[in-house]
Amino acid sequence: MAEGKKVLLVDDDEHILRSLRTYLEMESFEVETAGGGAEALQKVGTMAPDLIVLDVMMPQMDGFQVLEALKGQPATENIPIIMLTAKGQDPDVLKGYQRGASCYMTKPVNYNELVDNINLVFAQETINSKQKTYEV
């Protein structure tokens, strides 16, 4: 289980942020929120999240731009990112994965599925780090 892991939620909809935060905190995650892309990039530097749940459709800086910015920096390139968005068309999903998303989910969110995917991403990260340890 990923209890105590730090999760940054990024969405321009305050209602979604509040509901996701409440649910994830009930699941024992430490949660911070950001209402947009620029705020998310700033918070990543101060909180060092273990995982980011990122919306795509936001003003000024969309989620794909945030994803690219994070994956383009050595300090943040390994933070797993779950895209959570209303943009569920195949080209959007492909774009998310091509740019480095660990998971791509569409809204409306199923809270149990989100927690399951967060835990799966953390489990995969653990497996990957153990494999690197055994590589010679």
Side-chain angles (χ1 to χ4, degrees):
M1 192 72 168
E3 292 179 6
K5 294 279 191 173
K6 294 183 282 187
V7 176
L8 176 61
L9 302 174
V10 186
D11 200 302
D12 61 324
D13 184 322
E14 185 62 34
H15 174 72
I16 290 172
L17 286 178
R18 277 194 313 270
S19 63
L20 287 175
R21 179 181 201 142
T22 299
Y23 192 81
L24 292 179
E25 286 177 343
M26 287 175 20
E27 295 291 321
S28 300
F29 292 102
E30 292 180 33
V31 180
E32 289 288 329
T33 61
E39 182 183 0
L41 293 176
Q42 182 268 328
K43 284 199 173 183
V44 165
T46 59
M47 75 169 282
D50 296 304
L51 180 136
I52 299 169
V53 177
L54 179 63
D55 185 23
V56 170
M57 295 186 297
M58 297 181 293
Q60 285 91 40
M61 184 177 209
D62 72 25
F64 292 126
Q65 292 169 312
V66 175
L67 179 63
E68 287 178 0
L70 292 168
K71 295 301 179 180
Q73 297 296 317
T76 57
E77 69 184 355
N78 293 320
I79 298 172
I81 298 173
I82 294 177
M83 306 299 287
L84 179 61
T85 178
K87 291 183 71 81
Q89 300 296 320
D90 288 345
D92 297 313
V93 175
L94 182 61
K95 185 176 182 179
Y97 283 119
Q98 286 176 330
R99 285 166 173 71
S102 300
C103 180
Y104 197 102
M105 299 179 64
T106 56
K107 295 176 183 175
V109 64
N110 175 308
Y111 294 113
N112 292 328
E113 185 179 347
L114 176 60
V115 170
D116 287 347
N117 281 323
I118 289 171
N119 287 322
L120 284 170
V121 168
F122 283 136
Q124 186 62 48
E125 294 295 313
T126 301
I127 290 168
N128 289 344
S129 68
K130 286 182 181 179
Q131 286 177 339
K132 289 178 185 172
T133 302
Y134 296 119
E135 290 177 2
V136 177

